[in-house]
Amino acid sequence: RRSRLRVSDCFATYLISQNHIKEGAVLTKYVIRGGKPLYGEIDISGAKNAAVAIIPATLLVQGCCRIENVPDISDVHILLDILKQMGASVCQRSHDTVEIDCTNVGDMEPDPTLVRSIRASYYLIGAQLGRFGRSRVALPGGCNFAPRPIDQHVKGFLALGAEVEETDAYVDARAREEGLQGGRVNLDVVSVGATINIIIASVLVPGQTVIENAAKEPHIVDLANFLNTMGAKISGAGTDVIKIRGVKALRGGAYSIIPDQIEAGTYMAAVAAVGGNVLIKNVIPKHMDCISAKLREMGARVIEYDDAIRVQKVRRLRRATVKTMPYPGFPTDMQGQIGVCMTLAEGVSRITESIYETRFFAYCEELRSMGAKIQVSGKTAAITGWEELHGATVKAHDLRAGAALVIAGLAAQGETFVENIHYIERGYENLIGKLTALGAHIQRVED
């Protein structure tokens, strides 16, 4: 039976899926003594969103992939555990270098408990479908800030000649009797996840696949560069039309992941909100243009170098208007961080969320408990700047909202306790160490 995947509300699935993480994580929290400016230098880690696409894509490769600049975060560890459970050879050469050999992996079902703990596990569907012609994967988990359907992924799989079925908790994809063939898919909306999954699924499929209205994010270009390094034929990544000419096989090789745009942007926003002068190293300044421009508009000093950015707060921030957009627009994953800057800026700022409108509810109420003045109406939040925030006990409800609360705690007067930190550690490597090196007073403690 061929069917279009129902739009699933991932909220319930996610709450169930996080149990194995929460067992070890709910006992810990961040304790922050705020009001101390940040000074010094930090290095940005490899991009989370690139790593969680590239690691499943190694399933397509016959031979060993040496992946460098891999972020040391829980999402990466879970994906590596999934591959090991499926029969891959995984060797951690250093804290940021891993060798993965999926030559002997079979078409077995990935561990449902692990799959349900992260959103990026849906890339396993495309990888298994492309390599084996069939896949059975549990519905993914991930941050619980909005329902995020995978109907555009399925549209791509159908265009390649797959049949897609679902049960209450699984996605089953299988090539039709005549096999998979290259096809053309025009995405109804710009979707990063669907663009990545269709690229992965089509690399080994005979013929040419064309993705129209494709997403353009840097980590999509990074995935394409990785696959091309292994022998794929992908062109147009970074534009709205991507073409994939199927090849018979991919062979092993070495690849280094790009720096994390959102991690860098988070530290930039932290300096703008808290104060200080920080050199942020191992970045690609071009990827940061949308964030740098907005911080400059708000009054921060942003200086770009070849592979670094210096951010300095020289005055109280000015109000601004932000609308989140697909790349190269202002990223939705920076909404909360720039929102914290706005709570301390002069005047009334506004954020319009064009991608996940319910994202405001992941952090706005928590910021209100710290003294922020925020009014949310539909897709727009109006933020009236105030002289200062005050410490409070707050809970992270997703990865980026958690990062925003850390920034708020660093800027606030008094002591802030951030709970549910397992969300934050999904995407930020050595957050405590990096902030401490800048002079922040932040500790990870057990209750």
Side-chain angles (χ1 to χ4, degrees):
R1 179 176 64 89
R2 187 180 81 176
S3 68
R4 189 178 184 85
L5 184 67
R6 292 197 309 266
V7 175
S8 300
D9 183 345
C10 291
F11 288 167
T13 302
Y14 179 72
L15 293 174
I16 295 171
S17 73
Q18 288 296 319
N19 286 341
H20 79 284
I21 295 179
K22 288 184 177 180
E23 287 173 2
V26 292
L27 299 178
T28 57
K29 61 187 175 185
Y30 294 151
V31 180
I32 305 169
R33 294 201 306 276
K36 185 174 175 59
L38 305 175
Y39 291 95
E41 301 179 355
I42 55 169
D43 287 294
I44 297 304
S45 303
K48 166 192 176 287
N49 289 332
V52 299
I54 287 171
I55 290 171
T58 63
L59 280 169
L60 303 171
V61 180
Q62 302 288 320
C64 182
C65 299
R66 180 182 176 90
I67 313 298
E68 300 171 351
N69 203 32
V70 178
D72 185 10
I73 55 176
S74 62
D75 272 19
V76 163
H77 298 313
I78 292 169
L79 282 171
L80 294 176
D81 285 344
I82 291 172
L83 291 185
K84 285 189 281 188
Q85 170 261 328
M86 294 174 67
S89 172
V90 178
C91 181
Q92 192 83 38
R93 292 299 182 187
S94 69
H95 86 281
D96 67 349
T97 300
V98 63
E99 293 180 353
I100 305 171
D101 190 339
C102 294
T103 303
N104 297 319
V105 170
D107 61 346
M108 66 184 298
E109 177 189 328
D111 185 316
T113 301
L114 293 175
V115 165
R116 292 186 179 116
S117 68
I118 56 172
R119 183 68 181 173
S121 57
Y122 54 26
Y123 298 138
L124 296 167
I125 305 171
Q128 286 193 309
L129 181 64
R131 177 169 174 179
F132 304 115
R134 56 186 177 273
S135 173
R136 175 178 167 81
V137 177
L139 287 173
C143 282
N144 181 20
F145 57 77
R148 291 182 284 176
I150 61 171
D151 57 322
Q152 297 302 297
H153 305 232
V154 175
K155 182 177 183 179
F157 300 152
L158 297 178
L160 296 175
E163 297 179 343
V164 181
E165 299 182 11
E166 68 162 327
T167 64
D168 291 339
Y170 286 85
V171 178
D172 288 275
R174 182 179 297 270
R176 299 193 191 100
E177 185 174 344
E178 59 270 26
L180 300 177
Q181 292 289 330
R184 180 178 293 269
V185 57
N186 191 320
L187 297 178
D188 299 320
V189 295
V190 177
S191 168
V192 172
T195 300
I196 288 174
N197 225 347
I198 297 166
I199 290 173
I200 291 173
S202 61
V203 166
L204 298 178
V205 171
Q208 178 173 269
T209 298
V210 179
I211 308 171
E212 297 177 309
N213 199 29
K216 307 173 188 177
E217 272 68 8
H219 46 280
I220 292 175
V221 178
D222 209 36
L223 170 69
N225 288 341
F226 163 75
L227 290 168
N228 285 341
T229 299
M230 305 300 149
K233 294 182 179 179
I234 304 169
S235 62
T239 75
D240 57 6
V241 179
I242 299 175
K243 297 179 180 180
I244 306 103
R245 174 68 66 179
V247 297
K248 291 184 178 180
L250 300 181
R251 301 301 177 191
Y255 191 78
S256 182
I257 292 173
I258 59 170
D260 195 305
Q261 176 203 29
I262 304 301
E263 185 194 13
T266 297
Y267 287 112
M268 292 172 70
V271 179
V274 178
N277 186 335
V278 175
L279 182 66
I280 301 169
K281 301 188 295 184
N282 187 35
V283 299
I284 300 174
K286 180 65 177 175
H287 292 170
M288 311 307 303
D289 280 352
C290 50
I291 300 168
S292 297
K294 190 56 61 175
L295 291 177
R296 288 191 184 107
E297 178 186 330
M298 296 181 73
R301 180 174 295 162
V302 181
I303 304 171
E304 297 180 0
Y305 305 97
D306 288 343
D307 59 356
I309 292 178
R310 181 176 296 280
V311 181
Q312 183 179 10
K313 184 175 183 179
V314 294
R315 63 181 304 277
R316 186 180 176 191
L317 298 177
R318 296 185 289 262
R319 68 181 182 86
T321 299
V322 166
K323 182 176 182 180
T324 64
M325 298 286 287
Y327 187 84
F330 193 90
T332 182
D333 279 356
M334 281 294 299
Q335 186 217 98
Q337 298 92 311
I338 201 73
V340 175
C341 293
M342 292 173 171
T343 67
L344 298 164
E346 297 173 340
V348 179
S349 299
R350 284 180 170 79
I351 302 176
T352 300
E353 175 57 52
S354 69
I355 300 174
Y356 303 118
E357 71 175 85
T358 57
R359 194 160 207 165
F360 291 121
F361 301 102
Y363 70 93
C364 286
E365 189 60 37
E366 305 297 325
L367 289 181
R368 289 190 192 103
S369 73
M370 301 178 72
K373 299 182 181 301
I374 306 173
Q375 295 294 325
V376 178
S377 177
K379 297 181 179 181
T380 300
I383 303 174
T384 302
W386 201 242
E387 291 287 345
E388 64 179 39
L389 301 173
H390 56 76
T393 297
V394 294
K395 292 184 179 180
H397 295 288
D398 69 56
L399 167 59
R400 306 305 177 184
L405 295 177
V406 170
I407 296 174
L410 294 171
Q413 298 300 312
E415 201 164 52
T416 297
F417 301 90
V418 182
E419 300 177 344
N420 289 356
I421 63 173
H422 60 280
Y423 287 107
I424 302 169
E425 293 173 352
R426 286 187 49 233
Y428 290 91
E429 177 181 329
N430 191 25
L431 180 70
I432 300 298
K434 291 182 180 181
L435 287 173
T436 300
L438 299 178
H441 289 165
I442 178 169
Q443 292 179 297
R444 188 181 193 274
V445 302
E446 292 187 1
D447 279 334

